[in-house]
Amino acid sequence: MVGFCFNCLCEVIPDFDSQEGHQEELTVDKMMIKVFCLVLLFSLNCSLDFNHGITMRVNQKCIDYVKNFGMEFLKKKLMNQMLPDMTGSTTKFGKGEFLLSGIKVEELQLPKSAALPKAPANIVVSIEDASVNASGNWKMHHWLVNNSGKFVLNLSNVAIKARLSTFWNDFRRPSVLLDDCQSSVGKAKVHFSGKRKWLYNLFSGFLDKPIRTNLNAKLCPKVKDIINSLNRKLDTFLVVTKPDAYIDIHYSLLEKPKTTDRYIDLYLMGKARPAGNPVEYALSPKPIPLPDDNNYMLYVGFPTDFFHTLAASYFMANALERTITPKDFPEAFWLSTDGYNHTFSEITLHYPEACPMEMIVMATQAPAVSLTPNSLTLTMFGFLKAYALLPDSLEPLFSMYLEADLCTHDLQMSQLNLTSNFILTR
């Protein structure tokens, strides 16, 4: 739990007819102050739950996690999948042609893989010592062998090295480009089955090179297909999100990602606007200094401007206003006139019997935000008006100006959501 410190200042204005034109300053007990402040905060409780910042540092630990996930995904994608047919020729014992078709991957091992960021804007992905076991159908036309059957193929010492460049597209979304790809297949051993397999397998050693050459020619195009698939996913990256009907959050890239030998930095817009309002792009973002270590997968720096635009956008969209009724809090004593017997004596005089209440809470100006390296302070300014719920009408009871200071020394991030728990101290 993250502790917040609240400082509440209240000015009470009675609304009874008997005191028209007269304002009396009343002392409100601490419990009632807490109740009113919490009601005001209830209308703003969603405004700190967004996950958009302006500087995001993706560390090697995160890159390794994504790489491991990607390797497992690749294995699942290739397992039991059909590979392209292979054709080739041999001149051993005379010229002959062969066809390997219906090739199905039975086993795939990826013991060594890495993904390393490289300045200024690259990621190098490598796979070494990979092995593949596959099976399929063979057919050969040769003066010694003119037959078909089943085969088992073992590939070993398979290696791929690809250099990717990171950039942004015309829609300010992240994207990647395959700059270079190199691959090799160290060994290819095929075992033919059939009644005369001893004869067929005389050719297996001579098919090693054409099979390796054929497969190697298909590896980098396959990598390119995977990159194209990744870019199609990145094309769905939302540059504007609508968390509700009141505001839009803009978090498109301000410039292309920057890569060092240890991490990748992303610079996002991280600004809120009332729904439908356009946003201007800063020409040169100011990066937020982040820790230069690999202790965590991600570091995210939130600028003060993000919280300012978020708070101001909700205020301009008239979202910081709420009507609280007994239906919202059926057991709340502070929504009944008898809960104020010892606080507002005038209420007891006008309503000797308990009467349900309704409260309207609204912000009177945009909340102010202050950030320091170790804390966040949010100051909210509001107005509360309480009414008695009569059978046919609403009767005003009292009004109250509220000012609340929320302070925290710790913000929690879970699944890219910025969250905190509030504690009212006074």
Side-chain angles (χ1 to χ4, degrees):
M1 177 177 289
V2 181
F4 281 77
C5 174
F6 290 70
N7 296 317
C8 298
L9 304 176
C10 302
E11 178 184 350
V12 180
I13 306 172
D15 277 313
F16 300 113
D17 293 338
S18 61
Q19 296 184 2
E20 183 177 356
H22 174 70
Q23 295 185 358
E24 178 184 356
E25 184 171 340
L26 301 177
T27 301
V28 184
D29 62 73
K30 185 176 181 180
M31 176 60 72
M32 297 313 304
I33 294 286
K34 292 180 180 180
V35 169
F36 296 142
C37 288
L38 287 175
V39 170
L40 177 62
L41 297 178
F42 185 73
S43 67
L44 190 63
N45 64 356
C46 61
S47 67
L48 290 179
D49 288 337
F50 299 103
N51 57 344
H52 314 295
I54 196 170
T55 304
M56 177 180 291
R57 176 158 294 171
V58 182
N59 280 323
Q60 182 65 55
K61 185 177 291 187
C62 180
I63 297 173
D64 289 340
Y65 176 83
V66 175
K67 181 265 300 180
N68 292 336
F69 179 83
M71 292 298 137
E72 289 301 317
F73 175 79
L74 179 63
K75 289 175 66 173
K76 291 180 180 179
K77 186 176 180 64
L78 292 180
M79 287 298 294
N80 299 318
Q81 193 175 74
M82 306 301 291
L83 298 182
D85 295 348
M86 290 187 289
T87 59
S89 61
T90 179
T91 57
K92 191 64 178 177
F93 309 123
K95 187 175 181 179
E97 296 180 348
F98 68 90
L99 168 66
L100 302 181
S101 62
I103 308 173
K104 181 179 179 183
V105 177
E106 305 285 354
E107 184 180 2
L108 175 63
Q109 297 294 331
L110 303 172
K112 295 181 182 180
S113 61
L116 302 174
K118 295 292 182 183
N122 299 120
I123 302 175
V124 178
V125 180
S126 62
I127 297 174
E128 298 179 2
D129 295 334
S131 61
V132 180
N133 291 334
S135 61
N137 305 311
W138 66 269
K139 182 182 292 186
M140 183 174 292
H141 295 286
H142 192 275
W143 70 274
L144 280 177
V145 178
N146 190 6
N147 209 337
S148 61
K150 302 289 186 181
F151 74 89
V152 175
L153 176 63
N154 305 110
L155 303 173
S156 59
N157 296 332
V158 179
I160 301 174
K161 186 176 183 179
R163 187 177 75 245
L164 314 178
S165 62
T166 59
F167 67 103
W168 57 343
N169 62 21
D170 294 338
F171 300 97
R172 295 181 177 267
R173 294 185 175 98
S175 188
V176 292
L177 177 69
L178 180 61
D179 279 343
D180 183 54
C181 181
Q182 301 174 9
S183 64
S184 63
V185 179
K187 295 181 181 180
K189 185 177 181 180
V190 62
H191 180 80
F192 299 107
S193 61
K195 294 182 179 180
R196 303 171 66 187
K197 60 182 180 180
W198 63 269
L199 176 59
Y200 309 150
N201 285 313
L202 290 176
F203 291 88
S204 61
F206 307 110
L207 296 180
D208 174 274
K209 184 176 180 179
I211 289 176
R212 288 190 293 111
T213 301
N214 195 302
L215 276 175
N216 193 42
K218 292 178 171 61
L219 289 178
C220 282
K222 191 67 176 180
V223 172
K224 188 175 182 179
D225 290 342
I226 294 175
I227 298 301
N228 290 338
S229 178
L230 174 60
N231 278 324
R232 286 193 292 271
K233 291 291 185 182
L234 292 175
D235 283 342
T236 64
F237 180 87
L238 294 176
V239 294
V240 179
T241 186
K242 300 178 181 294
D244 50 42
Y246 299 104
I247 66 169
D248 297 336
I249 304 287
H250 298 257
Y251 57 108
S252 53
L253 288 173
L254 294 177
E255 63 181 34
K256 71 178 183 179
K258 291 185 178 179
T259 304
T260 72
D261 290 343
R262 289 189 294 172
Y263 52 76
I264 302 172
D265 279 348
L266 303 174
Y267 304 115
L268 309 178
M269 170 62 74
K271 287 189 177 182
R273 288 289 184 271
N277 285 19
V279 62
E280 295 181 359
Y281 290 95
L283 295 178
S284 55
K286 297 179 180 179
I288 296 176
L290 296 175
D292 192 17
D293 59 52
N294 194 38
N295 295 334
Y296 296 91
M297 288 187 179
L298 291 172
Y299 284 114
V300 182
F302 290 88
T304 305
D305 186 53
F306 165 74
F307 295 100
H308 280 309
T309 60
L310 190 63
S313 296
Y314 272 110
F315 178 74
M316 289 187 291
N318 298 319
L320 303 184
E321 179 178 337
R322 186 173 179 86
T323 299
I324 310 296
T325 69
K327 292 182 180 180
D328 299 312
F329 300 95
E331 304 297 327
F333 71 92
W334 42 273
L335 285 176
S336 177
T337 55
D338 61 352
Y340 300 84
N341 292 338
H342 301 292
T343 304
F344 299 121
S345 58
E346 293 293 332
I347 293 180
T348 304
L349 294 177
H350 286 77
Y351 300 94
E353 299 293 331
C355 178
M357 294 171 55
E358 177 179 294
M359 292 184 180
I360 297 178
V361 185
M362 65 184 72
T364 55
Q365 66 184 73
V369 182
S370 175
L371 284 179
T372 67
N374 298 313
S375 67
L376 179 149
T377 301
L378 177 66
T379 302
M380 295 184 298
F381 311 91
F383 184 77
L384 181 148
K385 196 169 185 67
Y387 296 88
L389 279 172
L390 302 181
D392 299 319
S393 64
L394 290 175
E395 291 297 326
L397 293 176
F398 58 86
S399 300
M400 178 179 291
Y401 290 102
L402 300 175
E403 179 178 327
D405 289 338
L406 290 73
C407 306
T408 179
H409 298 284
D410 188 18
L411 294 175
Q412 297 179 353
M413 200 168 194
S414 175
Q415 297 181 348
L416 293 183
N417 291 316
L418 186 66
T419 60
S420 272
N421 295 315
F422 296 92
I423 298 175
L424 188 63
T425 58
R426 72 180 179 91

